[in-house]
Amino acid sequence: MKTRLSRRLFLAFSTITASLVIGSKWLKPALAKFTTEEGDTVQSGDVTDTSAIIWARNNAETNARLVVEITTLRRFRKLVQTVKGPQVSQNTDYTGKVDISRLRPNQTYYYRVLWEDSQNKARQGGVGVFRTAPTPVQTRPVRFVWLADLAGQGWGRNPDLEITTTEGDVIKGGYVAFEVMRRFELDFAVFLGDNIYADNEIPSQKGIPVEVGGGTWVNNPPKDFQAVSLAEFRENWKYNLEDDKLRRFLAQTPIYIQWDDHEAVNNWYPGEILTEAPYNGLSADVLAERAKQALFEYSPIRGDKIYRKYRYGKHLELFLLDERSYRGPNTENSNPNGIEMLGQEQFEWLKKSLKASQATWKVISSDDPFSIVTGSTSDRDAWGQGSPEVLGREVQLSQLLQFIKNEGIKNVVVITADVHYAAAISYEPERAVFKDFNPFWEFVVGPIHAGAFGQNELDPSFGPKYEYVRAPQTATSQLPQNLPPPNLHSFGLAEVNSQGQLLVRIHDITGKVLYEKLLNPQS
């Protein structure tokens, strides 16, 4: 549902002074009390300079209409616009969302959710805040994080998990990284995929490797199933959203969300038949349809496609890919004639969108890395497979990179995750087998709260080189695989300043800077 603010309120909003900008940091109101009421969760997402998706779930699980009140004034005393959204019921697992347009660019908005019953009586739900994007000609700094891999490998919501931030604050219990990220005063966050682990159980207890202290990890609550039914997929999303730190983060940080494999099942591809229990011959297409319905029910996504783009001021445009829905079989990723990764419709959309972009930086958010080899020899899941030749999905990637060079598209950067370790990778034609492309960077993060793995080999086709790696098994670290938080966990933070420089950092989940790279734009 898309709802427009009235012209009268729109004009009134236009007179409000925007938040102050000081250097590369902008002042925002104190947001400590922006939590949710009665356990209800709210989110904003797919924010543009004039619109935003507001999402909420009625945790009372009663039929009701979603109503959103929105204003530029924190206390909701005046200039409040009331927007009536859809009815929520068991059919949508009591979730709903509203697309609100005619907002003012570069403006902080506060919103609260009401649940209106059939007698027009309203119960207050959650409260949230977001800031609209600057217009394509505005040059204020923009700061965002990207992250992936939440509640995987049995590492769930542990009330005893404790970290000390770089500022000396102790954060305890649950998904602690979200409290750390929340304090960076972000414009938005990108969730790159594996936002749930529908195919992983979460036991009540799990042993912690002795190399990182030993002892017992406690999951409260546990999760004792792998999702097959729609109801079970929904339960995975609810499991995460019951965490208070994640809910607070979502109430204060607009998100853009993608998916990867674990929203359904590990390394799935269209047409695959899932022979192992509990799937027992079920088509991955059927499973993915249920998984996708739950993803869209529980996320503030605009429209019906996962691939989409969003502009954020003069210097930044974000391109979100869907590398799961249209891919060819993993078993054929060594085919010399190539196989699909994006599908032709998405591939043409991406090329056309990159060519048309007037933003200084074009940030491609790829849920799978371009050159890190993943999966087994018969189940290569990412773009590469380890061979120097351009094979399988790399054929399409070579066409994309060649297109970017031939069309003179500058300042393309890739952010990614999936592999459960952090890395910075440079790509240079002089090191490559396929040389017809411009040099570029790819930045890898994760996990945010799952098992830490790595390091994987790099496919040499496009001349990648590790400039930074942080993983359990490297030349300088011999820690075991599948480490729980906070060991070797990470997220990425990027900021474009008013001059168009892009600063990329990799942080551990205490907030410590592990690596940074300042990129100056090519004109």
Side-chain angles (χ1 to χ4, degrees), residues 117-295:
D117 65 19
S118 59
Q119 305 302 314
N120 294 323
K121 295 180 180 179
R123 176 182 70 84
Q124 183 170 321
V127 179
V129 61
F130 66 92
R131 190 179 187 183
T132 49
T135 69
V137 298
Q138 290 178 311
T139 59
R140 75 156 171 85
V142 174
R143 182 187 297 127
F144 69 94
V145 295
W146 78 97
L147 60 118
D149 315 313
L150 181 58
Q153 292 73 52
W155 308 111
R157 289 161 43 206
N158 180 357
D160 299 323
L161 175 61
E162 184 176 296
I163 64 168
T164 301
T165 71
T166 53
E167 297 179 346
D169 297 328
V170 175
I171 301 174
K172 183 174 181 178
Y175 298 152
V176 293
F178 287 96
E179 179 60 20
V180 174
M181 292 185 292
R182 184 184 70 87
R183 299 180 182 189
F184 278 96
E185 297 183 332
L186 305 166
D187 281 279
F188 61 89
V190 184
F191 285 58
L192 275 92
D194 296 342
N195 306 291
I196 61 171
Y197 277 73
D199 56 337
N200 283 196
E201 295 182 4
I202 298 177
S204 59
Q205 294 185 349
K206 189 174 172 71
I208 299 173
V210 295
E211 292 88 345
V212 291
T216 301
W217 178 281
V218 176
N219 287 306
N220 186 14
K223 182 185 67 138
D224 62 356
F225 63 89
Q226 297 169 268
V228 177
S229 68
L230 174 59
E232 289 170 331
F233 283 109
R234 289 166 167 171
E235 286 299 320
N236 277 270
W237 289 95
K238 283 183 278 193
Y239 180 93
N240 285 344
L241 291 175
E242 287 167 359
D243 180 80
D244 62 341
K245 295 172 181 63
L246 175 57
R247 288 205 312 272
R248 189 177 298 114
F249 179 84
L250 293 173
Q252 299 177 23
T253 312
I255 71 169
Y256 302 88
I257 193 167
Q258 298 161 269
W259 73 344
D260 194 28
D261 52 340
H262 290 286
E263 281 81 3
V265 63
N266 185 49
N267 288 5
W268 74 272
Y269 54 84
E272 182 182 10
I273 301 300
L274 305 169
T275 58
E276 297 181 357
Y279 312 108
N280 301 321
L282 183 68
S283 168
D285 294 350
V286 174
L287 194 73
E289 183 179 0
R290 298 167 187 168
K292 188 174 183 180
Q293 180 175 336
L295 166 71

Side-chain angles (χ1 to χ4, degrees), residues 278-507:
Y279 312 108
N280 301 321
L282 183 68
S283 168
D285 294 350
V286 174
L287 194 73
E289 183 179 0
R290 298 167 187 168
K292 188 174 183 180
Q293 180 175 336
L295 166 71
F296 274 77
E297 287 175 341
Y298 275 85
S299 304
I301 300 178
R302 177 178 286 106
D304 59 0
K305 293 187 183 300
I306 294 171
Y307 69 86
R308 55 210 194 279
K309 62 177 180 175
Y310 285 97
R311 182 73 181 266
Y312 244 89
K314 179 178 180 180
H315 295 307
L316 178 66
E317 189 158 11
L318 178 68
F319 300 85
L320 302 148
L321 302 186
D322 179 358
E323 294 168 342
R324 193 56 54 180
S325 301
Y326 313 102
R327 63 167 55 206
N330 287 2
T331 55
E332 297 182 15
N333 202 18
S334 293
N335 188 326
N337 297 318
I339 61 169
E340 286 290 349
M341 181 60 138
L342 302 177
Q344 286 303 300
E345 180 179 318
Q346 181 180 192
F347 186 42
E348 292 304 319
W349 165 86
L350 179 59
K351 292 191 295 182
K352 180 179 178 180
S353 298
L354 287 169
K355 183 177 179 179
S357 178
Q358 297 299 308
T360 304
W361 292 101
K362 295 86 175 169
V363 177
I364 296 177
S365 183
S366 172
D367 48 282
D368 279 325
F370 278 11
S371 63
I372 297 176
V373 180
T374 67
S376 66
T377 54
S378 61
D379 185 29
R380 292 304 189 197
D381 192 60
W383 290 87
Q385 66 299 111
S387 173
E389 295 82 13
V390 175
L391 304 172
R393 300 184 182 107
E394 292 176 327
V395 173
Q396 191 167 70
L397 181 55
S398 69
Q399 294 168 354
L400 175 63
L401 297 178
Q402 185 180 52
F403 176 85
I404 290 170
K405 177 183 177 183
N406 291 345
E407 295 296 331
I409 301 168
K410 294 182 172 59
N411 307 317
V412 175
V413 170
V414 179
I415 58 174
T416 189
D418 180 59
V419 291
H420 294 232
Y421 66 93
I425 303 172
S426 64
Y427 290 79
E428 290 286 348
E430 63 185 24
R431 297 193 296 256
V433 175
F434 178 86
K435 299 179 181 296
D436 196 12
F437 68 96
N438 294 326
F440 68 97
W441 283 82
E442 180 180 46
F443 298 99
V444 190
V445 299
I448 196 65
H449 191 105
F453 292 91
Q455 156 188 2
N456 296 10
E457 68 172 308
L458 294 178
D459 186 301
S461 299
F462 304 106
K465 177 185 176 183
Y466 280 125
E467 304 292 350
Y468 171 80
V469 181
R470 185 175 186 255
Q473 295 185 358
T474 65
T476 58
S477 172
Q478 294 304 309
L479 292 172
Q481 303 278 10
N482 196 11
L483 295 176
N487 303 284
L488 303 184
H489 289 57
S490 64
F491 62 89
L493 188 146
E495 182 166 4
V496 182
N497 65 19
S498 298
Q499 291 72 46
Q501 294 173 304
L502 175 62
L503 178 63
V504 179
R505 291 192 176 109
I506 298 174
H507 293 255

